[in-house]
C-alpha cells in the first residue's frame, strides 16, 4: 500500500485500481469512477485480506458491510478503515469517502487515502469531527474464527444403521422383539385369569373352547301313536294292577 503513495490518476480519471475493479466485476463503468474504495479493495486483494476488508466501490455499502460483520466502532486504531461524511453526518448512509488509519495521535488520525483532491493517493492528517465510524478488519477476522470454532463443535446426529431386511421364513417374525413382547403379555393375561378362578384350595378350570364340558343330550322318548294291540295290553295291565 505504501509503495503506491504519490500515485496520480490519468487523464479522463482513469486509474489502474478502477481498471482492476472493472475487470473483476466485468463492468467498464468503474474504470473512471471515484477510486478511494477501489484502491482499498485492490490493496486487500494483493495482501490476501479480502475476506476481512471486503471488495467495494461504493463507500456506504462498505460501511454497512462492517456493521453487519459486527466490526464497526467509533474508536480509531491502526489498520482500521475510516469512513467520512463531509457534511458531518453520523449515519453510514451519508458516507462520502474512505481511507485507512495509519496511526492515531491524540484527537487526530493519520491516514492513507486514495482520490485525495480527486486525483492523488497520499497521506493525510485528519480531525475526527467528520468521521462516521471505523470498520475494523481485525474484528471481522476474530468473529469469523469464533464462528468457525462454534461450528467445529457441532456434531450432527447420526442415526443407527437399520438392519437389512431379507426374504426369510414367515416364522422368523416370532423371534422379533414385538412378537416376544406380545407373547409375554398374552401369558400374563392367561395366568391372571386362571388365578382368579381358585377358591378354597380348589382349582377352577378356565373354560376354553377346547376344554368346555360337553352338553348332555336328552333321552329320546317315543310319543308317537301306538298300535291297537299295544293299547289293549296297557289297558289289561291297568285292570290287573289298579292304582291304590
Amino acid at each position: 500500500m505504501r509503495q503506491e503513495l504519490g500515485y496520480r490518476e490519468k487523464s479522463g480519471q482513469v486509474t489502474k485500481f478502477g481498471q482492476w475493479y472493472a475487470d473483476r466485476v466485468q463492468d467498464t463503468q468503474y474504470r473512471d469512477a471515484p477510486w478511494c474504495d477501489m484502491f482499498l479493495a485492490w490493496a486487500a486483494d494483493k495482501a490476501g485480506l479480502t475476506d476481512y476488508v471486503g471488495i467495494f466501490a461504493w463507500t456506504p455499502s462498505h460501511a454497512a458491510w462492517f456493521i453487519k460483520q459486527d466490526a464497526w466502532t467509533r474508536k480509531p486504531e491502526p489498520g482500521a478503515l475510516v469512513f467520512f461524511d463531509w457534511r458531518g453526518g453520523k449515519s453510514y448512509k451519508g458516507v462520502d469517502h474512505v481511507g485507512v488509519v495509519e496511526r492515531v495521535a491524540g484527537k487526530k488520525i493519520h491516514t492513507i487515502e486514495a482520490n485525495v483532491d480527486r486525483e492523488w493517493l497520499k497521506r493525510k492528517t485528519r480531525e475526527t469531527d467528520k468521521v462516521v465510524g471505523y470498520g475494523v478488519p481485525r474484528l471481522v477476522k476474530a468473529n469469523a474464527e469464533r464462528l468457525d470454532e462454534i461450528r467445529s463443535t457441532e456434531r450432527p446426529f447420526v442415526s443407527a444403521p437399520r438392519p437389512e431386511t431379507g426374504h426369510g421364513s414367515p416364522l422368523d417374525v416370532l423371534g422379533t422383539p414385538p412378537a416376544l413382547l406380545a407373547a409375554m403379555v398374552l401369558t400374563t393375561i392367561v395366568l391372571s385369569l386362571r388365578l382368579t378362578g381358585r377358591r378354597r384350595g380348589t382349582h377352577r378350570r378356565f373354560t376354553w373352547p377346547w376344554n368346555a364340558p360337553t352338553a348332555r343330550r336328552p333321552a329320546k322318548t317315543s310319543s308317537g301313536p301306538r298300535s291297537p294291540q299295544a293299547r289293549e295290553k296297557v289297558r289289561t295291565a291297568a285292570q290287573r294292577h289298579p292304582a291304590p
Side-chain angles (χ1 to χ4, degrees), residues 18 33 105 147:
L147 182 59

Side-chain angles (χ1 to χ4, degrees), residues 40-223:
L40 296 177
W42 175 89
D45 180 72
K46 296 299 181 182
L49 300 175
T50 298
D51 291 343
Y52 313 124
V53 176
I55 298 180
F56 292 87
W58 194 44
T59 51
S61 292
H62 202 172
W65 181 80
F66 276 108
I67 294 172
K68 291 179 181 179
Q69 298 294 323
D70 196 21
W72 183 258
T73 181
R74 301 286 184 180
K75 184 178 180 180
E77 65 176 68
L81 274 63
V82 53
F83 293 86
F84 299 94
D85 182 348
W86 302 134
R87 293 176 298 276
K90 298 303 178 183
S91 171
Y92 75 91
K93 296 179 181 179
V95 169
D96 298 307
H97 183 64
V98 64
V100 59
V101 177
E102 191 172 25
R103 63 188 179 92
V104 180
K107 294 183 178 181
K108 294 184 178 182
I109 54 176
H110 297 262
T111 64
I112 295 177
E113 302 171 26
N115 200 28
V116 176
D117 300 327
R118 298 185 181 275
E119 61 177 331
W120 293 99
L121 195 162
K122 60 171 58 176
R123 283 188 170 98
K124 294 288 290 185
T125 301
R126 301 280 193 185
E127 300 286 348
T128 59
D129 58 322
K130 304 296 184 181
V131 173
V132 177
Y134 302 87
V136 185
R138 173 183 61 81
L139 295 179
V140 176
K141 181 179 180 181
N143 292 340
E145 291 175 348
R146 183 165 59 252
L147 182 59
D148 289 341
E149 182 179 357
I150 293 173
R151 288 174 176 171
S152 67
T153 61
E154 297 176 353
R155 293 291 182 271
F157 175 76
V158 179
S159 59
R162 300 181 63 180
E164 296 182 0
T165 56
H167 299 284
S169 170
L171 297 178
D172 292 344
V173 72
L174 297 178
T176 61
L180 295 176
L181 179 60
M184 293 174 62
V185 172
L186 181 60
T187 302
T188 303
I189 294 174
V190 172
L191 291 176
S192 64
L193 292 175
R194 293 176 66 89
L195 290 174
T196 56
R198 293 186 178 182
R199 292 181 181 177
R200 297 182 181 180
T202 62
H203 180 69
R204 182 179 180 181
R205 296 182 63 190
F206 183 76
T207 303
W208 291 97
W210 52 80
N211 63 7
T214 304
R216 296 182 179 180
R217 296 181 179 179
K220 293 183 178 180
T221 58
S222 177
S223 59

